[in-house]
Amino acid sequence: RVFRENIQGVPSALPSPDDYFLLRWLRAWSFDLQKSEDVLRKHMEFRKQQDLASILAWQPSEVVRLYNANGICGQDGEGSPVWYHIMGSLDPKDLLLSASKQELLSDSFQSCELLLRECELQSQKLGKKAEKITAVFDLEGLGLRHLWKPGIELLQEFFSALEANYPEILKNLIVVNAPKLFTVTFNLTRRKVVILGDNWKQELTKFISPDQLPVEFGRTMTDPDGNPKCLTKINYGGEVPKSYYLYNQVRLQYEHTVSVGCGSSLRVENEILFPGCVWQFASDGGDIGFGVFLKTKMGERQRAREMTEVLPSQCYNAHLVPEDGSITCLGVSSYVLRFDNTYSLVPSKRISYTVEVLLPDQTFMEKMEKF
């Protein structure tokens, strides 16, 4: 009750603000009320940044739909949804050359929201709370190509976001077909990771009922047409055709091209009104940091730490595939889009970018279609 009183105004904006939801945050932070409140409020900012309120209606690009190897299929022995990741057949490098990091993260966050919805549906069906999920990672075929640095960084970023924004949602992470380099590739919380041996198909039934396990994973579930892989639920990935590459397709017309020296940054300041602005950028010479900040003092130059962080600054592999995004603004405000190369010890990066402030009579969809 004390925790609920402390966060007045926050639960009403959440999809399922019941006691079970609040307990997840308290358990994750050892019932530290202040810490739990802080991370929950940060989660609300995360929901706005990632537009989670409407993400279930969002549609990823064709290449992500076809080649991002995962899917939600069946329930475990306690009725909780099961999330499969077919890591060995994932083509991380070509996928990141064909879709932006943000789109791939959005696809994963959409899956998280779908899993939460499935938990709610199962709770109603079973008459008891299903508040956690089981994840199955199939690592057959995992090799050195999966150790590509941008791919590893993306995976680490997702797991960090999962821990910060979906606490206590993971019941077990079950690993099958694990090669020796698994311990090098993943650094996960050991208490939730179950690594099955050669007899993994039989051992899986300790966690998932046979009628809920696809034939591909050793038991009886199939698609309506008899497909043993349950392709209507699980995407098995595969090699991404080079025709999907965005690097040469999208790197077309940008309004500005500038050089950002090593150890320096570039500030793009705009006065933005409702509904907001959209941007797109690409880099030459390596990755580039990018963040969006709201000025707290109009007419004065402020350092990043003196402004309000709207989109947290992080590195983007924009030398591989262009990045794009948008912000919503309810009133007239001054925003700074900051390209950060202060961490770099190598020569300068060449940045090409377009920033377009939307007018009140233009919709986001109309403008985003241009990107």
Side-chain angles (χ1 to χ4, degrees):
R1 189 178 68 180
V2 174
F3 184 48
R4 185 179 287 277
E5 291 174 355
N6 289 349
I7 56 171
Q8 287 182 12
V10 172
S12 61
L14 293 167
S16 180
D18 57 15
D19 288 344
Y20 289 98
F21 175 87
L22 298 180
L23 275 171
R24 279 174 40 208
W25 299 87
L26 289 167
R27 289 178 189 138
W29 303 103
S30 302
F31 288 86
D32 183 325
L33 294 181
Q34 187 58 57
K35 181 64 175 179
S36 300
E37 179 183 346
D38 291 343
V39 294
L40 181 53
R41 292 187 183 279
K42 286 181 180 178
H43 172 66
M44 292 308 304
E45 291 301 314
F46 174 82
R47 294 192 71 83
K48 287 192 289 185
Q49 291 166 5
Q50 300 295 332
D51 195 21
L52 296 187
S54 59
I55 201 166
L56 293 182
W58 171 77
Q59 289 292 323
S61 62
E62 181 179 275
V63 67
V64 173
R65 292 198 308 272
L66 294 178
Y67 294 98
N68 201 11
N70 65 83
I72 302 170
C73 181
Q75 293 85 41
D76 67 14
E78 297 177 340
S80 299
V82 182
W83 194 12
Y84 289 84
H85 289 259
I86 318 300
M87 299 295 294
S89 60
L90 185 69
D91 184 359
K93 184 173 183 179
D94 288 344
L95 194 56
L96 273 166
L97 287 172
S98 305
S100 70
K101 181 179 78 169
Q102 182 55 54
E103 182 180 10
L104 292 171
L105 286 172
S106 293
D107 188 57
S108 294
F109 297 146
Q110 184 186 59
S111 293
C112 290
E113 294 295 309
L114 283 169
L115 286 162
L116 290 178
R117 187 177 70 176
E118 284 298 309
C119 284
E120 284 297 314
L121 293 174
Q122 281 298 105
S123 297
Q124 295 170 18
K125 178 180 177 181
L126 299 173
K128 63 177 182 178
K129 197 65 178 178
E131 54 181 329
K132 295 192 176 187
I133 70 160
T134 291
V136 177
F137 275 56
D138 184 356
L139 306 188
E140 184 176 11
L142 197 74
L144 293 178
R145 68 190 180 100
H146 294 92
L147 295 179
W148 188 55
K149 187 171 180 286
I152 293 296
E153 290 173 345
L154 177 64
L155 190 62
Q156 290 172 337
E157 184 173 339
F158 168 66
F159 275 113
S160 294
L162 185 69
E163 181 180 15
N165 295 283
Y166 298 92
E168 295 296 306
I169 190 179
L170 186 61
K171 185 187 304 181
N172 286 306
L173 193 158
I174 303 170
V175 178
V176 301
N177 294 313
K180 290 183 179 179
L181 64 78
F182 168 72
T183 55
V184 178
T185 309
F186 298 94
N187 182 22
L188 302 173
T189 307
R190 276 288 180 184
R191 65 185 176 87
K192 291 184 178 179
V193 177
V194 180
I195 302 178
L196 302 185
D198 293 338
N199 193 31
W200 62 268
K201 289 186 177 180
Q202 179 62 39
E203 291 182 82
L204 262 181
T205 59
K206 296 177 183 177
F207 304 91
I208 307 170
S209 300
D211 65 331
Q212 295 294 307
L213 269 172
V215 172
E216 177 74 7
F217 285 83
R219 285 303 180 257
T220 62
M221 180 183 277
T222 66
D223 267 340
D225 64 358
N227 192 295
K229 290 189 172 184
C230 294
L231 293 177
T232 60
K233 298 181 176 70
I234 304 174
N235 187 348
Y236 287 78
E239 185 175 346
V240 179
K242 289 181 172 53
S243 59
Y244 283 110
Y245 281 14
L246 289 179
Y247 185 86
N248 293 321
Q249 296 176 28
V250 181
R251 187 179 288 257
L252 300 173
Q253 297 296 321
Y254 294 93
E255 292 182 358
H256 309 279
T257 300
V258 295
S259 181
V260 183
C262 57
S264 64
S265 62
L266 168 70
R267 298 162 54 97
V268 180
E269 187 170 334
N270 283 280
E271 188 175 90
I272 301 173
L273 62 161
F274 176 83
C277 81
V278 295
W279 64 79
Q280 186 177 55
F281 64 89
S283 63
D284 281 322
D287 57 10
I288 189 72
F290 178 77
V292 181
F293 301 84
L294 173 64
K295 295 189 68 172
T296 56
K297 294 182 180 179
M298 300 293 284
E300 296 184 19
R301 182 179 176 84
Q302 294 181 281
R303 296 179 180 274
R305 63 174 177 270
E306 299 171 330
M307 297 183 285
T308 300
E309 193 175 55
V310 177
L311 180 69
S313 186
Q314 58 180 294
C315 285
Y316 290 90
N317 296 305
H319 60 303
L320 302 176
V321 60
E323 291 285 342
D324 58 62
S326 65
I327 57 172
T328 302
C329 182
L330 298 179
V332 179
S333 302
S334 186
Y335 288 83
V336 172
L337 282 65
R338 181 173 181 265
F339 295 96
D340 181 15
N341 199 32
T342 57
Y343 61 89
S344 179
L345 300 177
V346 300
S348 61
K349 312 283 178 62
R350 188 176 178 84
I351 308 300
S352 300
Y353 69 91
T354 295
V355 178
E356 186 164 5
V357 178
L358 304 181
L359 300 177
D361 62 344
Q362 295 172 306
T363 66
F364 274 109
M365 290 305 296
E366 288 173 344
K367 302 307 292 183
M368 288 301 288
E369 284 177 1
K370 295 175 62 176
F371 286 82

